[in-house]
Amino acid sequence: MRVEPKGVIALKSTVSVRTAVVLLLAVLASVVAGLLTYWSGTNLPVAFLAGGSAFAVVFPLADSVVGDA
């Protein structure tokens, strides 16, 4: 049993580290894809669609690659 000092509140994480890593990878890939698409000269809605598509592709891939700790 763990005893906390008086006045210290123990916080329980609601998101696991694995979930955070998978989401981080997917968000980073979508931001990079969106920025590269926008910088290539296309308009903003197309860049958002490219970012969303990258997220949809990378999330399941990262989910299958990142293992449980």
Side-chain angles (χ1 to χ4, degrees):
M1 182 169 133
R2 183 175 177 181
V3 178
E4 297 291 336
K6 188 173 183 169
V8 174
I9 300 172
L11 298 176
K12 184 178 179 185
S13 176
T14 57
V15 178
S16 70
V17 174
R18 181 182 184 277
T19 304
V21 168
V22 169
L23 283 173
L24 179 68
L25 289 172
V27 167
L28 285 176
S30 65
V31 167
V32 168
L35 285 175
L36 288 176
T37 304
Y38 182 71
W39 289 338
S40 71
T42 61
N43 54 6
L44 198 57
V46 174
F48 277 117
L49 287 174
S53 300
F55 184 90
V57 169
V58 171
F59 185 81
L61 178 68
D63 189 36
S64 65
V65 170
V66 176
D68 292 331

